[in-house]
Amino acid sequence: MTQVEIGRGKNGRRAYALDEIGIVPSRRTRDPEEVSISWQIDAYRFDLPLVVSPMDSVVSPRTAIEVGRLGGLAVLDLEGLWTRYEDPEPLLEEVASLHGEAATRRLQQIYAEPIKEELIGRRIEEIREAGVTTAVRLSPQRTVQHHKAVIDAGVDIFVIRGTTVSAEHVSGRAEPLNLKQFIYELDVPVIVGGCATYTAALHLMRTGAAGVLVGFGGGASHTTRTVLGVAVPMATAISDVAAARRDYMDESGGRYVHVIADGGMGTSGDIAKAIACGADAVMVGSPLARAAEAPGRGFHWGSEAQHPELPRGKRVHFGTIGTLEQILHGPSSVADGSMNLMGALKRTMATAGYSDLKEFQRVEVVVAPQQS
């Protein structure tokens, strides 16, 4: 990869965002109805390559069930309001009514309430009883403390997600989570992340994870780049991690680890380009924050927004454009790529001549700077 001189004392790679690349159609096209976008991780098969972000503004037990019925997988945040309060609906209503910086201060106050383990089990059971695949999220910092309650409740897929997650966390204050040992001892598939480099992804794959999240999550609602200066353009990050997946397959004798793009999936075009760069599935938040059923009532925020010492996110207003079903499956009433996300993905694949997701990962892409 070509190094660019930033100054006499520093070089850096040129990296690309999804907005800067384009998908190149092949010589063949297909009927969209003949395209399959189904996705399977471990023993769980889904009609859609879609994982909904563990954000209180998007995922409640009710919306997790609805997304499951529509063919995707929604991840409930076990450090969110649903495990801190018996009935968080009044608080969600309040958050939607706040103005400006008052929203961040109030979020910090609301999320100061301790997590209750009995609510962890109850929320998981509520989703399981509906007959859909159950997935929940904990941060690396709270995984050791609460994982037993999660497993005892019968979760199907365990997500360990933070802004950045490494297999070699160093701490002089507390015993860090040993991901390799932890995942080995569990009987459920684990998805870990985020990461954004070849080396970090390869280390996470070696822990035994079933899937790796690429990116820092949050998308439109996080301010990690502004607060910490941490940013890796997603097209390059996904491509690097996909290369790590390929090399890990050779290293492990054929074990396949799924790559899930997490962050910046704002439109149907972003989703198609993420898979074209090598992702097996995408994790989305902001597109579904616009759903009529979304708990955030048209507002969107992530776990970074309520950090007690250094918030790296904000509450963003998106408004409401339709139901979950309309946003995922159409019909669309707008031309900006915010509705019928899965129908658009099928049409992109059909236009490029590919019949399934694995084939589509081989599509040609070009560097095509976004036009104003």
Side-chain angles (χ1 to χ4, degrees):
M1 180 70 71
T2 303
Q3 293 285 315
V4 177
E5 183 180 288
I6 296 169
R8 292 196 178 192
K10 181 69 70 173
N11 291 338
R13 290 172 60 199
R14 173 67 170 96
Y16 296 94
L18 293 172
D19 283 345
E20 297 177 281
I21 68 164
I23 294 168
V24 180
S26 68
R27 63 181 177 83
R28 179 187 294 114
T29 57
R30 294 182 181 275
D31 188 319
E33 295 305 313
E34 297 178 2
V35 171
S36 170
I37 57 172
S38 63
W39 171 60
Q40 181 166 338
I41 182 168
D42 203 84
Y44 301 99
R45 185 176 180 83
F46 304 94
D47 293 337
L48 313 176
L50 176 105
V51 184
V52 183
S53 300
M55 296 175 164
D56 281 341
S57 55
V58 180
V59 181
S60 65
R62 185 169 69 91
T63 56
I65 292 167
E66 181 63 15
V67 168
R69 289 174 175 162
L70 291 171
L73 175 69
V75 183
L76 184 69
D77 185 7
L78 294 184
E79 297 175 29
L81 299 179
W82 294 95
T83 57
R84 297 175 191 266
Y85 298 92
E86 288 276 351
D87 179 14
E89 290 291 352
L91 294 169
L92 290 164
E93 188 73 44
E94 179 188 351
V95 171
S97 69
L98 296 171
H99 299 284
E101 293 303 317
T104 296
R105 291 193 296 271
R106 184 58 180 138
L107 284 171
Q108 289 174 314
Q109 295 167 354
I110 290 171
Y111 283 90
E113 179 74 14
I115 296 169
K116 301 172 179 62
E117 288 215 341
E118 65 271 18
L119 289 178
I120 290 178
R122 195 183 309 170
R123 302 309 185 197
I124 293 173
E125 183 179 348
E126 187 177 340
I127 300 171
R128 278 181 59 84
E129 286 180 346
V132 301
T133 303
T134 306
V136 297
R137 172 262 181 187
L138 284 171
S139 65
Q141 296 83 359
R142 295 187 187 268
T143 293
V144 172
Q145 181 182 357
H146 296 299
H147 79 275
K148 189 175 186 304
V150 173
I151 300 303
D152 289 347
V155 75
D156 295 314
I157 297 175
F158 197 157
V159 179
I160 301 174
R161 180 181 186 256
T163 303
T164 51
V165 176
S166 75
E168 299 181 7
H169 180 65
V170 178
S171 174
R173 296 182 297 171
E175 184 68 24
L177 174 66
N178 184 327
L179 274 174
K180 189 169 186 177
Q181 179 181 346
F182 177 80
I183 292 173
Y184 178 78
E185 293 174 351
L186 293 181
D187 289 329
V188 300
V190 178
I191 297 171
V192 297
C195 69
T197 67
Y198 171 94
T199 302
L202 193 59
H203 279 262
L204 289 178
M205 291 173 185
R206 288 169 178 162
T207 67
V212 171
L213 298 171
V214 185
F216 303 125
S221 68
H222 86 65
T223 56
T224 298
R225 180 170 186 160
T226 303
V227 177
L228 300 183
V230 174
V232 180
M234 283 295 286
T236 296
I238 296 166
S239 300
D240 283 349
V241 175
R245 175 187 59 206
R246 178 197 61 215
D247 292 348
Y248 177 70
M249 279 188 70
D250 292 340
E251 174 188 306
S252 63
R255 184 173 181 272
Y256 191 90
V257 179
H258 291 263
V259 173
I260 303 168
D262 178 16
M265 300 296 117
T267 67
S268 54
D270 295 329
I271 293 171
K273 287 189 277 189
I275 294 173
C277 286
D280 297 288
V282 296
M283 180 171 272
V284 302
S286 58
L288 300 188
R290 298 179 172 93
E293 303 95 324
R297 295 152 171 81
F299 287 87
H300 186 45
W301 67 92
S303 58
E304 303 89 355
Q306 44 85 8
H307 193 283
E309 298 170 1
L310 191 65
R312 300 179 306 282
K314 57 185 178 181
R315 188 200 58 163
V316 180
H317 183 244
F318 284 122
T320 300
I321 60 173
T323 65
L324 280 170
E325 184 169 8
Q326 289 172 322
I327 291 172
L328 291 179
H329 294 298
S332 174
S333 57
V334 294
D336 60 2
S338 63
M339 297 184 76
N340 197 4
L341 302 178
M342 297 297 102
L345 174 60
K346 277 189 171 185
R347 188 165 292 276
T348 301
M349 292 170 60
T351 300
Y354 293 88
S355 61
D356 61 43
L357 296 173
K358 292 306 299 179
E359 283 188 359
F360 186 56
Q361 290 173 346
R362 301 196 297 268
V363 69
E364 182 183 354
V365 299
V366 294
V367 177
Q370 187 179 26
Q371 296 179 351
S372 56

